[in-house]
Amino acid sequence: FDRRICTHIVRMIISPLRSIAVHRLPARRSSRTATPVVTVAASKKGKKGKQGKQGKAPSAIPKSSPKPYLSASVVMQNLLLIESYFRKTGRPLFDQEVEIQNVAQLLWEAPFALMSHDASEDPKVTYANKAGLALFEAEWDEMIGVESKNTAREEGDVNHREERAAMLKEALAKGYVDSYTGVRQTIKGDKEFKILDATIFSIESPGGDAMGQGAVVRLWEKDGAQGGPLAVVEEALAGEGQDPAVLEALQAEVDRCAAIVRDLKENQGLSNSDEAVQAAVADLLAAKSKLA
């Protein structure tokens, strides 16, 4: 993957922003020069544009590639995802600094499932990382371009497709929804699974044009077992002792819950008497109890 192409893409997407946190990694014992890295945390103030206007979608995402996440169009989509996630939630998607040329691969191999769809009238899937494809039991070619509503059933006792549409509408109005739970089906429609913890967020261009919506799923239940990065924490708590990796995961969950509480109070103007704040505080206390 050509670093020059990646750098060009980064400049094309992020340069309109008023500011972005770009750092360099500590010097290494190597003749190579330090590589710019992006801490996915940019200013919330983007370049002025017409809010709510649908932006121009990235060029068609290629199919039938052994490593589709390395194509230029997918990298562009990745950068829109991580910047929009920060802009909407106030939290970076990664806990650590990320080298520019590694963004696509890190998202592809992330322990959480990450998916997105475009802003068309019947939104179509534009991205799914490896965990997301495995969750829906699909190959890249099978998932990309599918109408995303087909990931939820509409027949049966509960119309999950209708519930999903209501949630997406709420996320669009608020910018994002945290701690989402719901039921989805595999791409072939032969199996259902539960989403137990997800963040749904709006994807926007640097100018504020609507580009679609994304989903970060950290905990799910499928085939009678839980999966996702939060499931690792739960399994560790059921065992004896806690290794450093588990403690780090627990602390990350505490930090995530605390950030949600701060956002509700500081950015959304809610108080302790509001149900949303009370629920978020309850999640925070529960996360802290696991760390104690």
Side-chain angles (χ1 to χ4, degrees), residues 9-286:
I9 294 170
V10 172
R11 289 174 178 171
M12 181 169 56
I13 294 179
I14 299 181
S15 59
L17 297 174
R18 293 184 179 179
S19 65
I20 186 166
V22 178
H23 307 277
R24 292 184 180 273
L25 292 174
R28 300 172 180 170
R29 295 180 181 179
S30 170
S31 58
R32 294 175 59 188
T33 57
T35 304
V37 299
V38 175
T39 300
V40 187
S43 168
K44 292 187 178 181
K45 296 181 179 180
K47 182 180 177 181
K48 292 183 179 179
K50 295 182 180 179
Q51 299 298 317
K53 179 182 177 181
Q54 183 175 327
K56 183 179 179 181
S59 57
I61 296 177
K63 298 185 178 182
S64 302
S65 170
K67 293 184 178 181
Y69 61 90
L70 293 182
S71 69
S73 56
V74 175
V75 173
M76 290 174 66
Q77 176 72 2
N78 288 169
L79 292 171
L80 283 174
L81 283 169
I82 56 180
E83 197 281 325
S84 293
Y85 181 86
F86 176 82
R87 182 182 294 195
K88 293 302 178 182
T89 69
R91 309 185 300 267
L93 190 54
F94 293 112
D95 294 328
Q96 75 279 11
E97 292 181 339
V98 178
E99 292 185 358
I100 290 175
Q101 73 269 25
N102 293 337
V103 168
Q105 185 167 353
L106 286 174
L107 276 183
W108 177 255
E109 298 177 349
F112 50 79
L114 175 64
M115 290 80 67
S116 67
H117 65 206
D118 60 26
S120 60
E121 184 175 351
D122 287 315
K124 295 177 177 58
V125 177
T126 54
Y127 180 78
N129 68 351
K130 187 160 60 174
L133 292 175
L135 189 57
F136 286 91
E137 298 184 4
E139 298 295 332
W140 177 268
D141 289 2
E142 296 175 312
M143 195 72 174
I144 302 304
V146 169
E147 290 185 0
S148 59
K149 66 182 180 183
N150 293 327
T151 60
R153 290 180 181 174
E154 59 180 343
E155 68 276 3
D157 296 335
V158 179
N159 190 328
H160 297 300
R161 188 173 296 184
E162 190 176 81
E163 177 277 330
R164 172 185 175 275
M167 174 275 300
L168 290 175
K169 184 177 181 180
E170 179 185 358
L172 186 62
K174 295 181 178 179
Y176 75 101
V177 169
D178 258 325
S179 303
Y180 168 72
T181 62
V183 177
R184 295 294 182 272
Q185 64 178 352
T186 56
I187 197 68
K188 296 179 177 64
D190 57 355
K191 185 188 302 181
E192 286 189 325
F193 58 89
K194 296 178 181 178
I195 292 175
L196 302 178
D197 192 302
T199 299
I200 315 299
F201 61 101
S202 296
I203 304 170
E204 294 181 348
S205 71
D209 295 336
M211 305 295 287
Q213 290 175 294
V216 179
V217 186
R218 298 182 180 84
L219 182 64
W220 58 83
E221 183 177 313
K222 183 181 177 185
D223 297 328
Q226 291 190 349
L230 294 186
V232 176
V233 174
E234 297 293 338
E235 291 174 3
L237 289 174
E240 295 182 1
Q242 295 180 0
D243 61 30
V246 173
L247 291 174
E248 183 178 351
L250 288 171
Q251 184 60 58
E253 178 62 6
V254 169
D255 294 342
R256 186 179 76 88
C257 291
I260 293 174
V261 174
R262 286 196 301 271
D263 176 71
L264 290 172
K265 290 184 175 181
E266 297 174 6
N267 298 331
Q268 299 188 35
L270 301 182
S271 66
N272 289 333
S273 61
D274 289 299
E275 292 184 3
V277 174
Q278 292 174 2
V281 170
D283 290 340
L284 175 59
L285 294 176

